[in-house]
């Protein structure tokens, strides 16, 4: 009998005997593997917490007791056991379920999450709310990975929680890895705790007034259930240290935990990845960054690379392999990464601080206060800018143009293609005495022969890609490809300009465009509110031009998960939508 077939919700799970739980764990792992093998998604993290997921829903009264998963990569088993088993195959797809916990998706998801290290603060806030409501029996459980607990926000939450009487249980899922292997002194400390009983008794968590227990084997139901039962009956802040193996149950995922974090399609029985040849195909933008930075660092010893825990994803690992002493993975600590870069720049180094666009949001004050206010030449490389696809609203990099454009001293550039990314990386280390932000998308470019000779890019200068007489389209970044396709199918009446810089604007070129064209359309893969199009509107207004200026971009709502092509179409910035829009505008002009 397959136990999982008869489980839709935790109330069904609680009807099982304890000795049946190991069988359920095997079935749940197989279910996750079978679906992710064909539908893709995050794999290793959820496989590692199968026993913990089952044990928590088995012993606690979810959803009345509140269970919060940090980041959400760990939560696939949780979703399957909480009413979403039959739709789990739609995970991360358009109109399907989210790849992360989401409040409006299920009452079993009390707090939405996609960025890391938020669980302790959120669970503490909920615990305080319960206490104020005189509900002293409700449990509040935060499951946080060791890579996430090293973040400053997690420490802020621990610091507060330790002085409270909150009915809070923090579970450290210690698998020594986030996406890349965990780094830092805390990781080394947690490693020593596993074997040093003295450290385990007199540890930093106990010093913060938590009831600390562990470390225990997170794959051993007997130990897990025993300790969770004890903690369930104990009031106040508690901390359970659990040791797990990321990718547990799939040999290849255990062996190569980085690759199998989100492996793409693979054979569910053997674990072997589907082979895709990388020969004669354009590179990923992240690899253009990584390879170019190494090339530049070979000749400029002042160049350093910094990333907050995205060493592989950003391709900064190429720099780490070649120049380990000049490459810094600081863990999930975006604020620290930015101010560390500022300190380096203040002493004459040339820091390339590579942070995903969505994660730089977490260090906004540092960008303003520590970098731009002091006019320090930090080079921000914003990977995954624009729509990122299946990770959805928590990960789309659509706000950076708007949130960076308002900051004084900052140069804001978006390359149209791989060669322009290569050239702006080259230009940035040639004595630009102010901060620079370079935004580029997830995925591959379109040029196989991108390793051209370096050329200096003149700051604040756009280029004309095509000349026409009736309408001007101004694009920013790689969305130029969609615009070019649309214009090529529309006719000869439309001009196309790649402005390249959202700040400083090419005012000389803009004045020529405003004088020539009564209708101007801007296109960007960022939010329209405050974005590149807004910059054009502001400039036209400041110079008393009355042109019709229409902005195309991300609308004023959060865009959910789906393929990039699907989401661009929804936002009206794919080539066919742009073409349809342009044809209507051309017809208007001809009337």
């Amino acid at each position: 009998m397959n136990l999982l077939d008869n489980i839709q919700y935790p109330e069904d799970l609680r009807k099982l005997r304890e000795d049946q739980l190991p069988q359920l764990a095997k079935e749940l792992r197989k279910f996750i593997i079978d679906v992710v093998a064909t539908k893709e998604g995050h794999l290793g993290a959820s496989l590692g917490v199968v026993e913990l997921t089952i044990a928590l829903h088995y012993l606690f009264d979810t959803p009345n007791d509140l269970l919060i998963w940090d980041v959400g990569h760990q939560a696939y088993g949780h979703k399957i056991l909480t009413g979403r088993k039959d739709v789990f195959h739609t995970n991360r797809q358009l109109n399907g379920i989210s790849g992360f916990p989401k409040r409006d998706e299920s009452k079993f998801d009390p707090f939405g999450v996609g960025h890391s290290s938020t669980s302790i603060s959120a669970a503490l806030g909920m615990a305080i709310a319960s206490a104020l409501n005189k509900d002293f029996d409700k449990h509040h459980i935060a499951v946080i990975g060791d890579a996430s607990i090293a973040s400053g926000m997690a420490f802020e939450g621990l610091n507060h929680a330790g002085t409270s009487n909150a009915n809070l249980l923090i579970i450290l899922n210690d698998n020594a890895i986030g996406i890349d292997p965990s780094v830092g002194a805390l990781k080394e400390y947690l490693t020593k705790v596993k074997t040093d009983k003295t450290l385990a008794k007199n540890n930093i968590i106990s010093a913060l007034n938590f009831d600390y227990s562990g470390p225990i084997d997170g794959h051993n139901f007997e130990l897990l259930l025993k300790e969770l039962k004890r903690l369930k009956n104990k009031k106040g802040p508690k901390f359970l240290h659990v040791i797990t193996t990321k990718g547990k149950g799939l040999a290849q995922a255990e062996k190569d935990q980085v690759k199998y974090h989100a492996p793409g399609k693979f054979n569910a029985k053997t674990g072997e990845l589907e082979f895709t040849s990388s020969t004669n195909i354009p590179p990923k933008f992240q690899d253009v960054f990584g390879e170019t930075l190494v090339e530049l660092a070979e000749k400029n010893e002042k160049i350093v690379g910094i990333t907050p825990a995205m060493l592989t994803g950003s391709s900064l690992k190429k720099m780490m392999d070649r120049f380990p002493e000049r490459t810094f993975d600081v863990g999930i600590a975006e604020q620290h990464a930015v101010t560390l870069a500022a300190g380096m720049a203040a002493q004459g180094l040339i820091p390339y601080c590579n942070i995903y666009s969505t994660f730089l949001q977490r260090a906004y004050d540092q960008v303003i206060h520590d970098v731009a206010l002091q006019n320090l030449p930090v080079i921000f490389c914003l990977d995954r800018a624009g729509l990122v696809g299946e990770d959805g609203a928590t990960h789309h990099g659509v706000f950076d143009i708007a949130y960076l454009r308002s900051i004084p001293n900052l140069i804001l550039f978006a390359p149209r293609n791989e060669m322009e990314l290569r050239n702006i990386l080259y230009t940035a280390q040639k004595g630009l005495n102010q901060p620079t932000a370079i935004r580029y998308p997830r995925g591959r470019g379109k040029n196989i022969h991108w390793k051209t000779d370096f050329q200096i890019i003149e700051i604040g200068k756009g280029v004309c890609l095509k000349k026409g007489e009736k309408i001007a389209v101004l694009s920013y970044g790689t969305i130029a490809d969609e615009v070019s396709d649309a214009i090529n199918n529309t006719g000869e009446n439309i001009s196309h300009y790649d402005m390249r810089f959202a700040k400083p604007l090419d005012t000389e070129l803009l004045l020529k465009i405003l004088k020539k064209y009564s209708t101007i359309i801007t296109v960007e893969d960022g939010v329209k509110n405050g974005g590149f199009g807004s910059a054009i509107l502001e400039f036209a207004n400041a110079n008393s031009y009355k042109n019709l200026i229409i902005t195309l971009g991300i609308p004023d709502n959060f865009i959910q998960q789906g393929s990039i092509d699907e989401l661009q179409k929804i936002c009206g910035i794919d080539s066919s939508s742009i073409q349809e829009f342009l044809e209507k505008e051309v017809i208007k002009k001809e009337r």
Side-chain angles (χ1 to χ4, degrees), residues 542-588:
N543 288 276
S544 302
Y545 282 93
K546 306 298 182 183
N547 309 59
L548 174 62
I549 300 176
I550 305 168
T551 62
L552 301 181
I554 309 301
D556 188 24
N557 54 270
F558 290 105
I559 307 301
Q560 301 307 318
Q561 71 276 0
S563 71
I564 292 176
D565 289 343
E566 290 171 331
L567 300 183
Q568 284 185 338
K569 189 169 187 64
I570 287 171
C571 296
I573 57 173
D574 66 303
S575 60
S576 61
S577 298
I578 296 170
Q579 180 183 339
E580 182 180 354
F581 184 85
L582 291 176
E583 286 172 346
K584 290 179 181 178
E585 292 302 316
V586 170
I587 291 171
K588 288 180 185 177

Side-chain angles (χ1 to χ4, degrees), residues 469-484:
E469 295 301 319
K470 295 191 175 180
I471 293 175
V473 181
L474 281 54
S475 64
Y476 183 62
T478 57
I479 200 70
D481 288 338
E482 301 296 323
V483 174
S484 292

Side-chain angles (χ1 to χ4, degrees), residues 43-216:
L43 180 67
S46 287
L47 293 182
V49 293
V50 163
E51 288 84 4
L52 179 60
T53 303
I54 292 171
L56 288 170
H57 282 296
Y58 188 71
L59 289 180
F60 289 91
D61 184 25
T62 54
N64 295 316
D65 290 332
L66 304 178
L67 175 57
I68 300 169
W69 296 91
D70 210 297
V71 176
H73 295 153
Q74 313 172 82
Y76 285 6
H78 160 79
K79 291 201 169 203
I80 293 163
L81 295 176
T82 54
R84 288 163 278 187
K85 180 177 64 178
D86 294 341
V87 293
F88 186 65
H89 64 280
T90 70
N91 185 43
R92 303 174 78 246
Q93 297 175 28
L94 185 67
N95 300 321
I97 63 172
S98 170
F100 303 98
K102 189 175 179 182
R103 277 174 56 83
D104 61 7
E105 184 178 287
S106 171
K107 63 183 179 180
F108 288 90
D109 295 354
F111 199 78
V113 60
H115 295 179
S116 83
S117 314
T118 59
S119 62
I120 297 173
S121 297
L124 176 59
M126 293 173 177
I128 291 171
S130 294
L132 291 173
N133 291 328
K134 310 299 182 185
D135 187 352
F136 300 110
D137 294 325
K138 184 186 290 287
H139 294 278
H140 312 83
I141 307 149
V143 183
I144 184 167
D146 63 332
S148 298
I149 205 167
S151 168
M153 185 176 180
F155 271 94
E156 292 168 19
L158 287 170
N159 183 54
H160 183 189
T163 60
S164 75
N165 293 317
N167 192 18
L168 173 67
L169 170 59
I170 298 169
I171 299 176
L172 173 61
N173 170 30
D174 183 357
N175 59 16
I177 190 168
I179 296 175
D180 287 289
S182 302
V183 296
L186 182 62
K187 180 256 184 179
E188 293 177 1
Y189 171 79
L190 291 172
T191 300
K192 293 176 183 176
V193 164
K194 297 172 188 177
T195 56
D196 189 326
K197 292 183 179 180
T198 303
L199 274 179
K201 290 181 180 179
N202 303 291
N203 63 71
I204 188 173
I205 305 300
S206 296
L208 292 173
N209 299 323
F210 282 82
D211 180 319
Y212 173 90
S213 59
I216 65 171

Side-chain angles (χ1 to χ4, degrees), residues 147 176-182 246 258 309-313 317 329:
I177 190 168
I179 296 175
D180 287 289
S182 302
K246 186 171 182 177
V258 174
M310 289 296 163
L311 199 63
T312 300
K317 191 175 188 305
D329 179 355

Side-chain angles (χ1 to χ4, degrees), residues 250-486:
L250 186 66
Q252 289 87 338
E254 292 184 35
K255 182 178 180 181
D256 192 341
Q257 296 176 333
V258 174
K259 184 175 291 184
Y260 281 80
H261 172 76
K265 293 183 179 180
F266 62 95
N267 186 303
K269 292 183 178 179
T270 67
E272 293 298 324
L273 300 179
E274 282 195 5
F275 176 75
T276 54
S277 174
S278 59
T279 305
N280 294 323
I281 60 174
K284 294 180 179 179
F285 277 92
Q286 68 191 55
D287 290 333
V288 173
F289 161 79
E291 292 180 30
T292 301
L293 190 62
V294 170
E295 195 174 344
L296 295 172
E298 295 274 5
K299 297 179 179 179
N300 190 338
E301 63 183 14
K302 290 186 178 297
I303 288 176
V304 293
I306 302 167
T307 180
M310 289 296 163
L311 199 63
T312 300
S314 69
S315 289
L316 198 63
K317 191 175 188 305
K318 298 176 188 294
M319 178 82 171
M320 176 68 84
D321 292 342
R322 179 64 183 87
F323 296 108
E325 73 285 357
R326 291 159 57 189
T327 309
F328 304 89
D329 179 355
V330 301
I332 302 176
E334 292 86 1
Q335 293 175 309
H336 168 59
V338 171
T339 304
L340 176 73
M344 290 175 169
Q347 293 301 304
L349 294 179
I350 303 174
Y352 285 75
C353 187
N354 189 300
I355 303 181
Y356 290 9
S357 169
T358 186
F359 297 145
L360 188 63
Q361 295 164 189
R362 294 157 63 92
Y364 191 53
D365 180 60
Q366 287 67 33
V367 175
I368 295 173
H369 184 272
D370 298 338
V371 177
L373 181 62
Q374 303 185 92
N375 205 24
L376 291 169
V378 174
I379 303 161
F380 294 106
C381 301
L382 306 190
D383 199 339
R384 272 64 165 182
L387 296 166
V388 297
E390 290 81 0
D391 278 344
T394 58
H395 282 61
H396 293 315
V398 296
F399 300 105
D400 56 82
I401 305 170
Y403 72 65
L404 291 174
R405 193 174 67 81
S406 61
I407 302 175
N409 295 332
L410 194 72
I411 295 170
L412 187 51
F413 179 89
R416 183 175 73 255
N417 54 37
E418 304 94 311
M419 292 76 74
E420 286 211 329
L421 174 55
R422 176 175 168 80
N423 285 331
I424 195 65
L425 292 170
Y426 171 73
T427 303
Q429 48 96 50
K430 283 290 188 179
L432 295 183
N433 293 316
Q434 63 189 106
T436 303
I438 305 163
R439 71 185 307 267
Y440 50 92
R442 178 188 181 194
R444 296 188 182 275
K446 295 188 175 181
N447 298 280
I448 296 173
H449 305 293
W450 59 274
K451 283 194 176 181
T452 54
D453 292 339
F454 286 118
Q455 295 180 2
I456 292 285
I457 289 179
E458 187 176 357
I459 302 303
K461 291 298 178 182
V463 295
C464 179
L465 302 179
K466 180 180 179 296
K467 285 192 175 181
E469 295 301 319
K470 295 191 175 180
I471 293 175
V473 181
L474 281 54
S475 64
Y476 183 62
T478 57
I479 200 70
D481 288 338
E482 301 296 323
V483 174
S484 292
D485 289 345

